Amino acid sequence: SGLSVIISVFRQPKCLQQMVRYFRLCPVVQEIRVNWFQNTSMLLAIPQDYFSIAQSTIPVHFDVFPNNISHRFSPHRSPPLASNVTFHVDVDTFYSCRALQFAHDYWVHQFHASPQVVLGFHPRYLKAKGRYYHVSESYQYPFRHNTIFATKGAILHQDVLKLFFQPQYQSFRDLVDQYITAEDMLMSFVLAAHTITTVPLCIEPEDTCSLVCAQGQQ
């Protein structure tokens, strides 16, 4: 089995094209799902061969959702997800096939693909008191962290997505959707509430990069 790669995008077609075409070359990728929060007319305007790669049979599915950011973690998709192993990423955060393979193999071999473990490339240290955190804190000695931001490259079991959509978190999801932010923190809250272990992974600099995306250009 491999990964169901789930990409969140909003008005960034060129970066989406490049990311999808690259991920369709990765042996560990079983399918690619695109979280689509825009109107369907824009989706219909995408050429049929926009994501074509010679000799790639990895399917690409668009999951059309209401413009609610919490739906990026939705477990309810048609067709259903091909794998219980989901890799979540924003379209402006890029990882190599080697990085995806490393994360998948580590999760499977070290943690037996447990729903109680989340692996990711962006650890954070969220404090019990105070409103702010420092991004650099987890990347400098003593490398403090207590969560993984699932939006920036992380492996989650499909069961974790179902936890995120439990009824007791509805009011929090409503806030996230209202302000169009903090779905990463809400997922971290859900992981903590269910005592799910978060494991940060280190990769070589050449295996990741951040893209500055805009309409029709990179």
Side-chain angles (χ1 to χ4, degrees), residues 200-215:
L201 298 177
C202 293
I203 52 177
E204 298 296 330
E206 60 265 27
D207 285 315
T208 182
C209 65
S210 295
L211 303 178
V212 179
C213 300
Q215 182 74 33

Side-chain angles (χ1 to χ4, degrees), residues 67-72 165 170-181 183:
N67 192 12
N68 294 328
I69 198 170
S70 66
H71 282 70
R72 68 176 300 156
F165 275 86
Q170 181 65 59
S171 62
F172 300 109
R173 293 195 300 273
D174 290 344
L175 281 172
V176 163
D177 292 335
Q178 178 183 349
Y179 291 100
I180 320 176
T181 189
E183 78 281 14

Side-chain angles (χ1 to χ4, degrees), residues 17 20-21 24 44-54 60 62:
Q17 181 190 48
V20 169
R21 285 182 172 180
R24 293 193 79 195
L44 294 173
I46 296 177
Q48 193 167 6
D49 62 349
Y50 197 65
F51 303 112
S52 294
I53 288 289
V60 180
F62 283 81

